[in-house]
């Protein structure tokens, strides 16, 4: 019988593939025979099936490990090292025993339990201190103790590499590892250094972690923390630490997917906004950068408490109060920067949208707040958000930004500020953690992002997977090296183990004409695009075996990584690789009056790990440090791209890891629902393949994975040979005899110095042989013992049964008599009981029927009464309603009749007024009016001559006094009007402040007002056009007045000449009438200007101008006949009406008329200047327009 036939016997446990469970346990229903074409099995669910096999049996299903090996704390000790065996062992430990840590050789596999575990207290730290790895249950503290012990013993550099996908618990594992080092590297009471090391975690989590769909506290950057130790009297003491970060996810600042959050610090700051009123913060849902994901809360986490913890940690690490205040101002500035609204811009003089440019309102509240917080010029910030500068050969060209370009510039600036601030915080942490003393050795803790693949994979996933390729290569080389060192230590012969080498995939990414090289080349092209880069990739990289082009389209490409084949979408690769931000915007920030903003914006992006390595010296001569060269600041054309910077940082990290002794922690996420101890097999097996656990198993399985110490092997398998071949004094020889007897192939085992090495499956074969022998011997012993036990039981049972039968027969007879008596008594009792029950049922039914009838009659009577009452009330209501409707119709008709009568009367009055006005202007009317005026003038002339001779001096002074009085009254009137205008302006300023406050209070309704704003904008444009037409009409009237005044002056001069030549009463009268008419025209225009001025001062924020409808309500005269009132009722000065002028005093009369005319012109000019000043001062803006729109929108 071959070993396969022995192992695949009937009843053997095997693993078969399953669509949902990946692997399912099954039992063989028939033994396997060589050459058989199928196996009959029964699955764990009870289903019978047949598994097809090849003739040579090369595809036999994998066997389950023996029960003794299930639940082992080290996966490499399993007899059958294959995927289902590893998966089952982890599931048993995690689900059944609730153990989250398991070893896999040098790897510690940590499964996230999504529950609080009492595994990390000070007592646990003391329990693992001083114990070797494997003495106690697997734990992160055991791995940390192994590294710390090696540090003390060999005084060398070490590293702990923590990896896994988002939500697997990488950050927590790294935190507990650093906590252990801080505890054992100092005293049990926390010192200042240990406190600082532990305080760095909440700061980095606040600024670098965020909520994703997979993890509530996902690290969105890579972190390598070097814990620095010094040797003091043979004991390593923690003296400081340094921190190096990789590839911060800057795009999260301006965009979050559904169900995700921005970085924690923003939400913490909004929760603590009451402490910083000067930041003008609001609820997190009010900021565009924070409300995209729609999941602002984290269950069982208080952002306000987290903010207090973050501020306290920053205080511990040396941040001053002013630094913390400046940092929160920068963070608040980023939030307000995201709320700056970029709106459409329309071509001047039309309503056509200008698609090539955009606009930001000057009074945008968030623009002003951003400028105040960052202490930069808000106007410069607005200018360079709306414009961009392009350098030509000899000059700069300013080009307006479209809405999309302006928003992209705003988002790029926000990302740039946050990245620089993050870099500054890391720098301050490093200065605080590293006291500058000479470094002895270090333990590095690498918390790096795991392999990622999503539905849409972009530049960030490409860089993350590239880093995992490099780390996987380093991991494979290290595991292979340890495996070969173990064989050399035991002194056994071995052959080269073949393992997966991902160097071809790395060459595809970083070699010349590889993905990164072509990406950098395309970024240097002036018109480079994602599509052209994808075309170059398909043309240049098709020769690489790990590259695949898409079947359809050219906007994506495939890369075969060690874990999976990933499709990358090229959209956004170039923009993210360039990471460009407007030079002018950065210059605006560099000129800030805040010192921290200046300091942050002048930081250079350098590889801190390379610089740190260049400054330090390592032991053992593992790292060769080249001479440092002066760093040259790259120009705009030669600035390093994000990809090249990440490649250099990754190369520096790998060289550092090669110079250390690494320890590996692989974190596994058991489910996507974050449910405690829930096991999803398909998800876990994918992570085991991605993180290298199965690769470690495969390397171990390729050699001799099963290893037994000689004493342990002897104690378990000594029964497999005769006692004559066993020697307790020479266990190695005894073990050799056992192995040689049962395993004929010498390649299946090796005898080492202290252990026996077996190929995969050999220990299970020995277990099967041992189980068969034990079964055979146990069966013989059991048969003899069972015969003795069963015979003695039979004799005892026979005696007992005879006694039981005798007593049972008597008992049955007595029981039968008793039943007969009870049956007769039962008949009598049931007769009387049935009668009593029937009577009681009848009486109860009768009482119920009477009650139902009573209540039914009452209900019918009440319903009839209610119906009659409702009918009566309805009739009364109808009566009153019909009366009210009739009266309302009568009143409406009467009001309409009155309106018609009023309109007709007004029409007749206007027609009569026009007719009378026309008659007043006719020549005949003037002749009748002034008939006999010539005789009267001659008769009065003599009287005037006499008065002039007597009162010439008095008349001259009287005229001057009257003129001065008129000027004084005019000045007083203007001063009163000026005071009124000034008071009105002050009231309107107060109204503006109130409206600004109202605008700030109503910004929550901003989204609802956008549609109303559009309609209001149209009304504003139409009103603006109306105002423009009115202004033009007013200017035209003013020009006509000026021309009329000039013509009047010329005519007056001509008239004066004519009066000097001959005194004609008719011409004098015409000159007098002309001057009066000019004065009336000017007074009319002044009246109109006063009305316009009062309208502006009284309602500068009203959107409705003075029109014909409301003009008639304020002035009883009809519209368009404003001069009629002045024509019929001339306001002549008293001195002109009370005095008579002589023939010789005509010149004085004309001079006085001219003086009056000049005064009216000056008054008109002053009123016009006041009107222009108020119109420009109270020109409606969007801020004054928006509340009016709100009031109009809330109207009936």
């Amino acid at each position: 019988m071959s070993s396969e036939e022995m192992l695949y016997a009937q009843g053997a446990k095997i693993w078969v593939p399953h669509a949902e469970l990946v692997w399912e346990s099954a039992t063989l229903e028939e033994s396997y025979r060589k050459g058989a074409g199928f196996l009959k099995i029964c699955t764990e669910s009870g289903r019978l099936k047949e598994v097809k096999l090849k003739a040579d049996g090369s595809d036999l299903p994998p066997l389950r490990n023996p029960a003794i090996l299930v639940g082992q704390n080290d996966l490499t000790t399993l007899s059958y090292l294959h995927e289902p065996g590893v998966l089952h062992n982890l599931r048993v430990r995690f689900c059944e025993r609730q153990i989250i840590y398991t070893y896999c050789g040098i790897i510690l596999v940590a499964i996230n339990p999504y529950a609080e575990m009492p595994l990390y207290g000070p007592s646990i730290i003391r329990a693992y201190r001083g114990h070797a790895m494997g003495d106690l249950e697997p734990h992160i503290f055991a791995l940390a103790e192994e590294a710390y012990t090696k540090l003390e013993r060999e005084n060398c550099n070490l590293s702990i590499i923590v990896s896994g996908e988002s939500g697997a618990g990488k950050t927590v594992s790294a935190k507990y590892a650093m906590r252990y080092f801080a505890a054992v590297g100092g005293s049990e009471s926390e010192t200042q250094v240990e406190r600082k090391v532990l305080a760095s975690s909440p700061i980095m989590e606040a600024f670098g972690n965020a909520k994703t769909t997979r993890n509530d506290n996902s690290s969105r950057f890579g972190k390598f923390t070097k814990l620095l130790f010094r040797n003091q009297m043979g004991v390593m003491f923690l003296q400081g630490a340094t921190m190096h970060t990789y590839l911060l996810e800057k795009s999260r600042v301006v965009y979050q997917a559904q169900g995700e959050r921005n970085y924690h610090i923003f939400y913490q700051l909004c929760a603590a906004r009451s402490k910083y009123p000067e930041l003008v913060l609001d609820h997190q849902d009010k900021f565009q950068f924070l409300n995209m994901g729609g999941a602002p809360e984290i269950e069982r986490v208080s952002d306000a408490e987290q903010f207090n913890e973050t501020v306290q940690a920053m205080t511990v690490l040396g941040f001053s109060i002013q630094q913390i205040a400046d940092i929160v101002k920068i963070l608040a500035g980023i939030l307000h920067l995201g709320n700056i609204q970029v709106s459409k811009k329309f071509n001047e003089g039309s309503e056509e949208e200008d698609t090539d440019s955009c606009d930001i309102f000057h009074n945008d509240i968030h623009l002003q707040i951003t400028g105040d917080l960052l202490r930069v010029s808000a106007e410069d910030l607005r200018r360079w958000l709306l414009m961009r500068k392009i350098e030509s050969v000899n000059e700069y060209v300013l080009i307006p930004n479209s809405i999309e370009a302006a928003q992209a510039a705003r988002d790029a600036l926000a990302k740039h500020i946050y990245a620089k601030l993050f870099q500054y915080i890391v720098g301050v942490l490093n200065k605080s953690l590293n006291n500058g003393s000479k470094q002895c050795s270090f333990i590095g803790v690498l918390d790096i992002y795991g392999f990622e693949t999503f539905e849409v994979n972009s530049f960030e996933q490409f860089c993350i997977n590239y880093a995992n390729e490099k780390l996987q290569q380093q991991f494979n080389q290290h595991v292979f090296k340890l495996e070969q060192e173990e064989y050399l230590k035991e002194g056994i012969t071995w052959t080269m183990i073949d393992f997966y080498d991902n160097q071809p995939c790395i060459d595809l990414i970083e070699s010349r004409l590889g993905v990164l090289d072509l990406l950098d080349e395309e970024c240097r092209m002036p018109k480079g695009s994602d599509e052209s880069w994808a075309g170059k990739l398909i043309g240049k990289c098709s020769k690489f075996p790990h590259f695949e082009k898409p079947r359809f389209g050219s906007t994506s490409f495939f890369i075969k990584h060690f874990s999976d084949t990933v499709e990358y979408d090229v959209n956004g690769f170039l923009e993210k690789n360039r990471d460009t931000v407007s030079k002018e915007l950065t210059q605006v920030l560099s000129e800030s009056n805040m010192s921290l903003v200046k300091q942050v914006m002048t930081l250079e992006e350098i590889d801190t790990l390379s610089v740190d390595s260049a400054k330090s010296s390592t032991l053992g001569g593992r790292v060769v440090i080249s001479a440092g060269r002066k760093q040259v600041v790259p120009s705009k054309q030669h600035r390093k791209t994000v990809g090249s910077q990440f490649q250099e940082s990754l190369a520096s990290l790998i060289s550092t890891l090669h110079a250390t002794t690494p320890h590996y922690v692989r974190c596994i996420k058991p489910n996507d629902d974050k449910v405690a101890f829930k096991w999803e097999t398909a998800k876990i097996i994918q992570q085991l393949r991605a993180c290298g656990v199965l690769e470690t198993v495969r390397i171990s399985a390729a050699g001799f994975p099963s290893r037994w110490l000689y004493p342990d092997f002897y104690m378990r398998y000594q029964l497999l040979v005769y006692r004559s071949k066993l020697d307790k004094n020479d266990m190695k020889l005894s073990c050799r005899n056992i192995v040689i007897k049962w395993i004929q192939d010498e390649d299946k085992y090796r005898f080492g110095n202290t252990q026996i090495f077996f190929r995969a499956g050999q220990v299970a074969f020995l277990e099967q042989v041992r189980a068969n022998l034990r079964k055979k011997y146990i069966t013989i012993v059991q048969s003899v013992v069972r015969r003795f036990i069963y015979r003695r039981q039979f004799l005892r049972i026979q005696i007992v049964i005879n006694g039981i039968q005798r007593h049972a027969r008597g008992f049955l007879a007595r029981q039968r008599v008793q039943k007969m008596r009870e049956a007769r008594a039962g008949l009598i009792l049931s007769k009387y009981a049935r009668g009593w029950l029937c009577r009681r049922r009848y009486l109860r039914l009768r009482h119920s029927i009477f009650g139902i009838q009573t209540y039914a009659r009452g209900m019918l009577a009440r319903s009839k009464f209610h119906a009659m009452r409702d009918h009566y009330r309805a009739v009364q209501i109808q009566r009153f309603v019909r009366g009210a409707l009739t009266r309302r119709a009568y009143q409406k008709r009467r009001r309409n009749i009155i309106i018609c009568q009023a309109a007709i009367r007004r029409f007749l009055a206007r027609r009569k007024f026009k007719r009378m006005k026309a008659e007043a202007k006719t020549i005949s009317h003037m002749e009748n009016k002034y008939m006999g005026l010539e005789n009267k003038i001659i008769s009065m002339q003599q009287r005037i001559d006499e008065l002039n001779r007597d009162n010439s001096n008095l008349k001259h002074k009287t005229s001057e006094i009257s003129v001065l009085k008129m000027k004084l009254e005019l000045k007083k009137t203007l001063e009163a009007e000026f005071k009124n205008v000034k008071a009105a302006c002050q009231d309107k300023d107060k109204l503006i402040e109130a409206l600004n406050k109202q605008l700030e209070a109503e910004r929550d309704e901003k989204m609802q007002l956008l549609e109303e704003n559009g309609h209001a904008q149209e009304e504003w444009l139409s009103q603006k056009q109306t105002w423009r037409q009115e202004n033009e009409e007013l200017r035209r009237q003013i020009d006509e007045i000026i021309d009329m005044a000039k013509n009047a002056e010329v005519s007056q001069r001509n008239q004066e000449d004519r009066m000097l030549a001959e005194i004609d009463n008719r011409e004098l009268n015409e000159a007098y009438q002309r001057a009066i008419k000019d004065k009336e025209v000017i007074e009319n225009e002044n009246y109109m200007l006063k009305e316009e001025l009062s309208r502006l001062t009284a309602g500068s924020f009203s959107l409705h101008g003075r029109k014909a409808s409301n003009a008639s309500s304020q002035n009883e005269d009809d519209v368009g006949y404003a001069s009629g009132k002045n024509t019929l009722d001339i306001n002549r000065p008293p001195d002109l009406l009370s005095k008579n002028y002589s023939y010789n005093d005509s010149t004085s009369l004309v001079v006085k008329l001219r003086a009056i005319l000049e005064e009216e012109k000056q008054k008109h000019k002053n009123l016009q200047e006041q009107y222009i000043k108020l119109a420009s001062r109270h020109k409606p803006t969007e801020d004054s327009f928006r509340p009016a729109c709100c009031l109009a929108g809330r109207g009936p």
Side-chain angles (χ1 to χ4, degrees), residues 1156-1172:
I1156 294 172
L1157 182 62
E1158 291 297 330
E1159 289 177 2
E1160 294 297 332
K1161 288 181 180 179
Q1162 186 64 31
K1163 185 189 297 183
H1164 175 269
K1165 184 178 179 180
N1166 293 335
L1167 289 174
Q1168 187 176 8
E1169 290 178 355
Q1170 292 181 11
Y1171 168 72
I1172 293 172

Side-chain angles (χ1 to χ4, degrees), residues 260-314:
E260 297 188 355
R261 292 205 325 172
N262 207 322
Y263 290 103
H264 295 325
I265 187 64
F266 291 115
Y267 301 90
Q268 295 175 8
L269 186 59
C270 289
R273 59 185 179 272
S274 59
K275 298 181 180 179
Y276 301 96
E278 67 275 8
L279 302 182
V280 199
L281 292 175
D282 203 341
H283 190 269
Q284 53 216 14
D285 292 339
K286 305 299 182 183
F287 293 101
Q288 184 177 351
F289 285 167
L290 303 183
N291 59 11
M292 297 181 184
E297 304 293 339
I298 299 179
E299 189 176 358
R300 296 188 301 274
V301 174
S302 172
D303 288 325
E305 295 177 0
Q306 293 292 322
F307 181 76
N308 294 333
E309 184 178 351
T310 302
V311 173
Q312 184 179 0
M314 295 176 74

